[in-house]
Amino acid sequence: MSDITPITTGATGIKPVPSFNLPIVLGAETIKRGLLNVRPRYMDKVELLKFKSSQDSFMAPVSTPTVTSGDYSITNRQIVLGDMQFYRTYNPLRDFEGQYDFLWAQGQLTSATLSPLVKKAVLDTSATAIGANIEKLIWEGDTASATASLNRTDGFLKLFGADSDGDLNTVAFGGALTAANIITKMEAMLAAMPSAVLETENIKFVVSYKDSFKYYEALRDATITKGINIMDGGVPRLAGIPIVSCGIPENKMILGRCDNSNDSNLQAATWMDQDRGVLIDRLQANSEDFFIKATIKFGVQYVNGSELVFGS
């Protein structure tokens, strides 16, 4: 059965515009906006090793020490990669027999392929659909979910909730974020962040698309129609800290080092970045049917909860 549903054209005197209007879909914006370091060529699990020295370790000097002052520790966190697949089929010949002529299959009947216009639309919409699902998995993935598109791996929200090391800094918003309270909540997150991180790390606020506009609204004076209501180009900031929006759900926010370097607090792993691409091929040599397929391994993990603030 084909996964391309054609429209019914049986109308006389209609001349369509020979192009498709494709929907606007946000893809894997967390990756595209450089908030997450993606490590390629991992197949199953990735060990993130942490080496720490205890603090406040001075003691009174003695000529021959017999006790130590503090210690070192090696701990780990794991990225567990989930398997996921995108798969659809179509028949370039039968699906478009009753369609406008510019949508008809190309080539001989025994080797028909999609028209260039349809093939481009298939590739573009498939790629954005895959990117959008990965973005949801990054934040809302839950292996216990009953939703097949979300239970392929655990996302950051579930990992934050588990707080397996017991050191994640958290701020309770106590309700929905609004233009009236968002700055106060962000200031509370700043207060919860250790001074050493504020002073030495290149940190960011990571917010949802809608919450970023609540921040803009908080800065706006509704009685002024020019000047400060016209934002300068670039990245918005609070106390000099960049605010970047992505697919994190509304009314959730994080503060920390979130970039695409090995030192980022947000890490991901995949087998190959190119796996997010789409393969189109004939089902078998004697078949008219084609398939659209992408098979992906992907997982996420945060590194140091003590250097991250999660607000919800």
Side-chain angles (χ1 to χ4, degrees), residues 26-87:
L26 287 165
E29 298 302 306
T30 300
I31 298 174
K32 290 195 288 186
R33 296 182 179 180
L35 299 173
L36 179 66
N37 182 44
V38 181
R39 299 170 178 269
R41 301 195 63 78
Y42 289 96
M43 185 61 74
D44 187 20
K45 296 179 181 178
V46 184
E47 199 89 327
L48 301 174
L49 297 176
K50 301 184 289 183
F51 193 101
K52 293 183 178 180
S53 169
S54 59
Q55 303 298 307
D56 302 323
S57 298
F58 282 162
M59 64 180 186
V62 295
S63 58
T64 304
T66 57
V67 296
T68 62
S69 59
D71 56 17
Y72 303 98
S73 63
I74 299 176
T75 57
N76 72 302
R77 297 184 70 81
Q78 278 191 347
I79 303 175
V80 180
L81 281 72
D83 289 302
M84 53 210 75
Q85 189 170 86
F86 176 96
Y87 184 77

Side-chain angles (χ1 to χ4, degrees), residues 77-219:
R77 297 184 70 81
Q78 278 191 347
I79 303 175
V80 180
L81 281 72
D83 289 302
M84 53 210 75
Q85 189 170 86
F86 176 96
Y87 184 77
R88 295 175 185 174
T89 61
Y90 65 89
N91 186 313
L93 183 62
R94 310 300 174 188
D95 289 348
F96 298 94
E97 285 180 319
Q99 298 294 292
Y100 303 113
D101 59 356
F102 60 88
L103 301 179
W104 289 349
Q106 306 291 297
Q108 300 175 353
L109 294 182
T110 53
S111 59
T113 59
L114 283 178
S115 75
L117 181 65
V118 177
K119 184 173 183 179
K120 183 179 186 305
V122 166
L123 285 169
D124 288 351
T125 55
S126 298
T128 55
I130 290 168
N133 204 153
I134 286 177
E135 182 73 359
K136 270 199 166 185
L137 279 171
I138 287 171
W139 295 104
E140 300 176 66
D142 184 346
T143 51
S145 172
T147 304
S149 61
L150 291 178
N151 64 19
R152 307 318 309 150
T153 190
D154 286 332
F156 284 123
L157 295 188
K158 183 175 180 181
L159 297 170
F160 293 156
D163 188 16
S164 58
D165 284 350
D167 62 351
L168 180 67
N169 302 297
T170 60
V171 170
F173 290 156
L177 293 173
T178 66
N181 69 18
I182 190 168
I183 291 179
T184 300
K185 304 302 183 185
M186 294 170 81
E187 288 172 340
M189 293 180 69
L190 281 172
M193 179 63 84
S195 299
V197 180
L198 288 173
E199 188 70 17
T200 62
E201 294 290 342
N202 183 19
I203 61 176
K204 297 183 180 76
F205 282 102
V206 179
V207 304
S208 74
Y209 306 117
K210 289 190 175 180
D211 289 333
S212 69
F213 281 90
K214 295 172 190 174
Y215 179 71
Y216 283 130
E217 179 67 16
L219 299 182

